[in-house]
Amino acid sequence: MNTERISQHWQGIGSDKSALVNNFYRRLFERHPRFRPMFPEGIEHQMEKMLDTLALVAEHSDTPNAIHPRLRRVGEAHRRYELSEADFDDFIDVLIETIAEFNSAQWCEACGDAWRHALQQVVLPTVREGMH
């Protein structure tokens, strides 16, 4: 896992992190409207939680004990939605695309690979644990 690359890229986004999360949800709902009913109209609180979770993953994706409790809670909160593999894939694709856009100066194929690996190999398995 290339936590250093993820962390550096995340820090390179600077103060635009809230705009990144806002843009991510806008894109997610536009491209995959099936997700919209899963969220309240005012999703500001959800956006803050997503931002906190992304920051945690960016800084500690190689330290499972630091991130697993939060990710399990994320899974527990999403249990009722019965999300499919396609749902997870769509979520990850839109997230990585949005992250890349917000720090395009530092983006490279290795950045995308590092984010995808962290999300697929660390985040999703732990979220799934919380969903069961």
Side-chain angles (χ1 to χ4, degrees), residues 1 57 61 64 67-76 85 88-89 92 115-132:
M1 170 111 33
V57 169
S61 59
I67 62 174
H68 281 193
R70 181 182 191 107
L71 295 175
R72 280 190 198 100
R73 286 192 305 273
V74 169
E76 290 167 5
E85 288 304 310
F88 288 120
D89 290 344
I92 288 173
W115 275 103
R116 187 168 301 280
H117 180 78
L119 293 167
Q120 290 178 332
Q121 303 302 316
V122 177
V123 174
L124 285 185
T126 309
V127 167
R128 283 187 194 110
E129 284 176 23
M131 292 176 79
H132 298 293

Side-chain angles (χ1 to χ4, degrees), residues 36-69:
R36 187 65 188 100
M38 297 178 194
F39 296 88
E41 270 310 307
I43 64 167
E44 291 77 17
H45 181 67
Q46 177 64 33
M47 289 170 46
E48 288 175 27
K49 290 175 14 179
M50 174 76 162
L51 185 57
D52 291 345
T53 301
L54 283 172
L56 191 66
V57 169
E59 297 299 323
H60 300 289
S61 59
D62 63 347
T63 314
N65 291 338
I67 62 174
H68 281 193

Side-chain angles (χ1 to χ4, degrees), residues 8-29:
Q8 287 174 350
H9 189 266
W10 181 250
Q11 294 308 316
I13 294 170
S15 62
D16 282 344
K17 291 177 182 79
S18 292
L20 180 150
V21 173
N22 187 32
N23 192 302
F24 162 74
Y25 280 114
R26 182 188 53 74
R27 272 185 202 182
L28 183 68
F29 299 154

Side-chain angles (χ1 to χ4, degrees), residues 3-13 58-59 103 106:
T3 303
E4 184 176 333
R5 183 178 299 276
I6 293 169
S7 179
Q8 287 174 350
H9 189 266
W10 181 250
Q11 294 308 316
I13 294 170
E59 297 299 323
N103 191 0
Q106 290 184 3

